[in-house]
Amino acid sequence: MVYYSKLPDVDLPKSSIIQFLFANKFNTPKDRPILIDANDGRFLTFAQLKDQVLRFGAGLQDVCGFQTNDVVAVYAPNQYNYFVPILGALAANGAATTANPNYNVEELSYQLEMSRANVIICHEENVKTALKAADRVGISTKNIFVFGEANINGIQPFEKALLGSRRAVPETLTYEEAKNKVAYLCFSSGTTGKSKGVMTTHANVTANTCQWTSIDDPFVDLSKDRMIAVLPFFHIFGLSAILHTAVYWGIPVHVLPRFDLIKFCEIVQKEKITIAPLVPPIYVLLAKEEVVLNYDLSSLKIGISGAAPLSGSLGREVKDRLPHLSIKQGYGLTEISPAAIAEPLDRVVDGSIGVLLPNMTAKVVDEDGREAAQGERGELWLKGPNVMKGYLHNPKATAECIDDEGYFHTGDVVIVDENQHFFVVDRIKELIKYKGFQVPPAELEGILLKSPIVADCAVVGVYDSAQATEMPRAYVTLTSGTEASEKVARQIMKFVADQVVPYKQLRSLRFVDAIPKSPSGKILRRVLRDAAHAEENTDNRPKL
């Protein structure tokens, strides 16, 4: 069965992201602070943001020799002016790639090499890693800059080095050009091999911003509403749902470099925050942590949940504490720019990820490739103006997930009810979603097999209801002569932790006599997930 959005289509913008955002559709006062540092109060007004973006673009061209279609890598935690280098790259007619600020040298080098970035904007916390990765891939130190106001390890702040008096003149894109010109290269982990660069075009972003905001327009007061940003901007959810949305609407957003529960509550109380895009693990804290009760969070009226499913029971727990808060789920992927489905605030259904956004079409397809009937399980396929151009330098992977009709095959299994509300019930793809971050099992298995005491292994995601997230768990068979013990388990987990960013670390480990596999040698992850589920329903759970 093919599903068409029941919401009215939105008019698709026909311009670049720069033209779209700074057209100022909602007549935002130019002196209104839009991007605000939640820690020290520094801010950029709407006019200052535009000015710095254009000056940054000119600086790229004049100082770095930046050419059309060159790429800037932004490698930093959230900053109030994070959007300046992102949009500045577009103003210089190039593209931006956003990297996890906790990446190690190997991980950053891979993304720099794949994206062919030739400029890096990093942070004082990771400048040493940036320098090592840049040296590895051949990026000159003269093209490396930091956020802030001080030189770090000889690297200049971009504000001093790039923000001169000249302003770039962004190219005016036709609609066809906007549909083809890549703006962002966010990286999405695959189930096998390394992560893939997602080619997101100008038209993808502008379309999805209009699709996403259209269902909330009736409930937002642009003169009073304020947003808080704790989700990472390097992730497409934070980049789109917060930065693009806030600037498009012209509402202030208070930016924290990372999530901290106390700081979050303080800012909501002090600044009377009304809109909070969050992820399920944060909603767990709001529902259960006693410290939350010490703060007045009554200003919160719209809670957005994404990156992983939010259970109906958890949503109700949060509502018990914060009855003034309406929580709506959204569903998307990096490849969809990112939103395709969301709950309208006036008809939220517990546990549902929502309804199709405007201009979206979907299919639900069973295991035999047939369109499933309404109410039957099947893989979700999505089509719309927000579907990515493809995977960077990887036409084979693109062809495997976008079919001839333009449908993106999500790998998520859904059920659709009679009112066209969608519910995620399973996942075909093997990716683990840990607190909204993608963890590819194959990457962790590759590291585990390098250990001299690991004979074989498999990694799966095990859902932890207490934290409302999947947790990476390893099943390991040991080499002959090695005895299973808690000490050995901790040793193996540390072996992995020393080689990956924190969110990819193993959270538990089980020793088994053999890894279940098909006759062709494929790991039977379903068997392991079923074993994990059975274990959770017994009272004899291992400690590790």
Side-chain angles (χ1 to χ4, degrees), residues 18 21 40 81 113 212 290 322 325 365 448:
I18 296 292
L21 290 178
D40 62 22
N81 55 348
E113 185 173 30
W212 172 254
E290 290 300 311
L322 305 173
L325 179 64
V365 181
L448 281 165

Side-chain angles (χ1 to χ4, degrees), residues 69-210:
N69 298 327
D70 279 351
V71 177
V72 172
V74 182
Y75 174 56
N78 287 5
Q79 304 290 299
Y80 80 101
N81 55 348
Y82 190 98
F83 221 13
V84 170
I86 297 288
L87 294 180
L90 307 189
N93 307 320
T97 186
T98 53
N100 186 324
N102 297 312
Y103 268 176
N104 60 30
V105 174
E106 184 72 28
E107 292 164 322
L108 180 60
S109 297
Y110 172 77
Q111 184 163 338
L112 293 174
E113 185 173 30
M114 282 292 293
S115 65
R116 298 173 183 169
N118 55 354
V119 177
I120 302 174
I121 311 296
C122 58
H123 189 264
E124 62 180 19
E125 295 176 358
N126 58 23
V127 65
K128 292 182 179 178
T129 303
L131 286 167
K132 291 177 182 177
D135 181 65
R136 184 177 292 190
V137 301
I139 297 176
S140 170
T141 54
K142 76 178 182 64
N143 280 8
I144 304 174
F145 309 92
V146 293
F147 282 92
E149 299 176 354
N151 283 34
I152 307 294
N153 290 67
I155 301 302
Q156 295 184 79
F158 77 77
E159 292 184 57
K160 292 182 180 178
L162 298 181
L163 300 187
S165 58
R166 190 176 78 83
R167 289 159 181 78
V169 180
E171 58 188 354
T172 300
L173 301 181
T174 66
Y175 186 40
E176 287 303 313
E177 290 169 338
K179 288 195 292 185
N180 284 286
K181 187 171 177 61
V182 174
Y184 301 138
L185 294 167
C186 296
F187 275 63
S188 176
S189 296
T191 56
T192 58
K194 293 188 175 181
S195 57
K196 300 186 287 291
V198 174
M199 294 188 289
T200 303
T201 69
H202 286 258
N204 288 155
V205 173
T206 59
N208 202 227
T209 302
C210 292

Side-chain angles (χ1 to χ4, degrees), residues 298-365:
S298 61
S299 62
L300 283 175
K301 67 175 187 178
I302 299 175
I304 300 165
S305 183
L310 178 77
S311 69
S313 60
L314 176 55
R316 289 189 292 272
E317 283 188 71
V318 178
K319 288 279 289 181
D320 287 343
R321 275 194 171 180
L322 305 173
H324 44 275
L325 179 64
S326 295
I327 303 173
K328 55 171 283 180
Q329 289 203 68
Y331 171 88
L333 310 97
T334 304
E335 291 88 344
I336 308 293
S337 310
I341 297 171
E343 284 283 74
L345 281 164
D346 57 349
R347 47 193 172 102
V348 171
V349 176
D350 283 348
S352 170
I353 56 173
V355 300
L356 284 172
L357 290 178
N359 306 74
M360 293 300 304
T361 307
K363 286 184 181 180
V364 178
V365 181

Side-chain angles (χ1 to χ4, degrees), residues 24 26 42 47 78 82 133 153 164 169 178 188 216 251 260 316 320 350 361 439 480 494 505 512 518 536:
N24 198 3
F26 298 101
R42 289 178 297 168
N78 287 5
Y82 190 98
N153 290 67
V169 180
S188 176
D216 286 339
I251 63 173
D260 174 89
R316 289 189 292 272
D320 287 343
D350 283 348
T361 307
V439 181
S480 177
K494 184 178 186 302
Q505 294 177 11
V512 292
S518 69
E536 292 302 311

Side-chain angles (χ1 to χ4, degrees), residues 9 16 38 41 109 127 175 191 196 231 279 295 393 459 468 498 511:
D9 280 355
S16 72
S109 297
V127 65
Y175 186 40
T191 56
K196 300 186 287 291
L231 302 181
V279 290
Y295 296 89
H393 313 314
V459 175
D498 287 344
F511 294 112

